[in-house]
Amino acid sequence: MTCNVVPNAIFKNGNSIPMFGLGTWNSPPGQVAQAVKDAIDVGYRHIDCAHVYQNEHEVGEGIAAKIAEGVVKREDLFVTSKLWNTFHRPDLVEGACKTTLQNLKLDYLDLYLIHWPVGYQEGTELFPMGPDGKTFLFSDADYVDTWPEMEKLVDAGLVRNIGVSNFNAKQVQRVLDVARIPPATNQIECHPYLHQSKITTFCAEKGIIVTAYSPLGSPARPWVKADDPVLMDDATVGQLAKKHGKSAAQILIRYQIQLGHVVIPKSVTKERIASNFDVFSFQLDEDDMKQLAGLERNGRICPESSAFGHPHHPFEKEE
């Protein structure tokens, strides 16, 4: 199977992004490099990373190995990373990007996102805490001041495209109001239990592509509770999987693609990496799409609860 079966979404600036990629959040240390190698062998050409995942050096190893083997060239790949919350202050943006590039062993990123609209106190701690060990320390840096520095990364050739992640509609509009280069994408949690229709409609109106993370409901998230509903076990998803002779994961991934979203499921298992990729040989019909749309329950998996109380928290006052 080759990568040419993956359709591209086209950014407003005319650049393209493969609609399917490998997510690397919560991938166990020591397994990420191999997962990236397996994914590239299967046909993945889009890899989604972030500084805060603390595994970009392993992603870089996997990419470098496949380039050295001649399986891919750098220009065949689309690599995304994200500016972490402790680097929102304008003078820290370029250094953060260069650290990511160094870890990934790359000269440029295809896409760089502001990971969250909330800024955390600058320093070496990814999740800086107060003396009580419970309170998170925030930065007063405003993402609208961060954005021009993201634009400078494009000017400098370090980054091809820039965007945001986990921004609500008002926040995206604030960026648009100051932007010389508008965000190409907004990467958000999106699956049948959380469609985010307000922000997805807004992005569509503004010509901003939606990238869907946790499309499978992130069953292995660290804070999962025993009584949390499991999207992959949902009866409707199971019936559709049976109908199409596909797995629950394949149904959920295909759903995002048919919604017009870029989708980045995570796996480190070779068989699942291959299975997740096999979503281009079938189509969900109108009734299937309606059934999946009917599963909405506003079930947010990634609320970023550590940032509750931050003036730029994207969901706290939204819901």
Side-chain angles (χ1 to χ4, degrees), residues 93-94 97 112 148-159:
V93 173
E94 185 181 331
C97 180
Y112 198 43
E149 299 304 317
M150 300 286 283
E151 294 174 328
K152 286 178 191 173
L153 300 176
V154 179
D155 299 338
L158 297 173
V159 172

Side-chain angles (χ1 to χ4, degrees), residues 7-316:
N8 285 330
I10 308 299
F11 291 143
K12 203 172 179 182
N13 63 12
N15 293 341
S16 60
I17 178 173
M19 288 187 76
F20 180 87
L22 179 74
T24 59
W25 172 62
N26 204 26
S27 293
Q31 299 179 36
V32 186
Q34 189 58 51
V36 169
K37 289 191 264 190
D38 290 341
I40 289 172
D41 284 341
V42 165
Y44 288 62
R45 295 296 178 261
H46 174 184
I47 316 283
D48 183 86
C49 322
H51 177 77
V52 76
Y53 303 164
Q54 300 183 68
N55 57 16
E56 289 193 323
H57 56 292
E58 290 192 49
V59 174
E61 283 169 32
I63 290 172
K66 287 297 152 186
I67 290 175
E69 283 174 33
V71 176
V72 285
K73 298 187 181 81
R74 168 64 184 99
E75 56 269 28
D76 299 331
L77 298 174
F78 191 101
V79 182
T80 300
S81 188
K82 309 177 194 83
L83 178 80
W84 183 238
N85 304 352
T86 51
F87 303 110
H88 281 202
R89 208 175 67 202
D91 61 302
L92 299 176
V93 173
E94 185 181 331
C97 180
K98 285 181 171 174
T99 297
T100 274
L101 288 170
Q102 194 176 348
N103 287 335
L104 290 168
K105 301 176 174 60
L106 299 177
D107 296 326
Y108 68 91
L109 291 169
D110 296 278
L111 177 62
Y112 198 43
L113 310 175
I114 300 180
H115 203 152
W116 288 88
V118 296
Y120 290 169
Q121 182 178 285
E122 297 76 17
T124 53
E125 295 295 320
L126 293 173
F127 294 91
M129 304 286 273
D132 62 2
K134 295 176 188 169
T135 315
F136 275 82
L137 301 175
F138 299 146
S139 165
D140 57 6
D142 189 324
Y143 57 83
V144 295
D145 299 321
T146 312
W147 189 255
E149 299 304 317
M150 300 286 283
E151 294 174 328
K152 286 178 191 173
L153 300 176
V154 179
D155 299 338
L158 297 173
V159 172
R160 297 277 169 93
N161 304 279
I162 49 177
V164 295
S165 181
N166 300 298
F167 277 51
N168 65 34
K170 284 180 186 163
Q171 293 170 330
V172 173
Q173 186 59 57
R174 282 190 77 217
V175 173
L176 288 170
D177 289 344
V178 301
R180 172 170 57 87
I181 303 173
T185 187
N186 186 10
Q187 184 178 127
I188 57 173
E189 180 184 341
C190 199
H191 46 77
Y193 285 171
L194 183 75
H195 283 87
Q196 306 236 60
S197 56
K198 184 178 175 184
I199 183 64
T200 54
T201 302
F202 178 83
C203 287
E205 286 167 359
K206 300 293 181 181
I208 296 169
I209 299 286
V210 166
T211 300
Y213 74 74
S214 296
L216 311 180
S218 196
R221 62 192 181 276
W223 53 86
V224 70
K225 295 197 287 292
D227 58 349
D228 283 348
V230 180
L231 176 61
M232 299 262 276
D233 294 345
D234 190 277
T236 300
V237 177
Q239 284 159 9
L240 292 175
K242 196 172 176 185
K243 171 182 168 180
H244 290 279
K246 293 288 176 183
S247 69
Q250 288 168 326
I251 296 295
L252 294 168
I253 292 164
R254 181 73 207 175
Y255 182 54
Q256 293 300 325
I257 289 167
Q258 287 188 218
L259 288 173
H261 299 163
V262 175
V263 61
I264 46 169
K266 176 230 110 181
S267 181
V268 292
T269 313
K270 191 172 187 176
E271 294 71 27
R272 282 200 201 121
I273 286 169
S275 168
N276 287 350
F277 189 78
D278 184 19
V279 290
F280 302 102
S281 58
F282 77 104
Q283 198 140 10
L284 298 170
D285 62 35
E286 201 176 329
D287 185 57
D288 300 336
M289 296 293 283
K290 273 187 189 155
Q291 286 187 59
L292 291 166
L295 298 180
E296 176 66 75
R297 52 171 78 189
N298 290 314
R300 191 178 293 284
I301 288 160
C302 296
E304 192 65 1
S305 51
S306 56
F308 284 162
H310 194 293
H312 295 148
H313 196 287
F315 318 132
E316 205 174 1

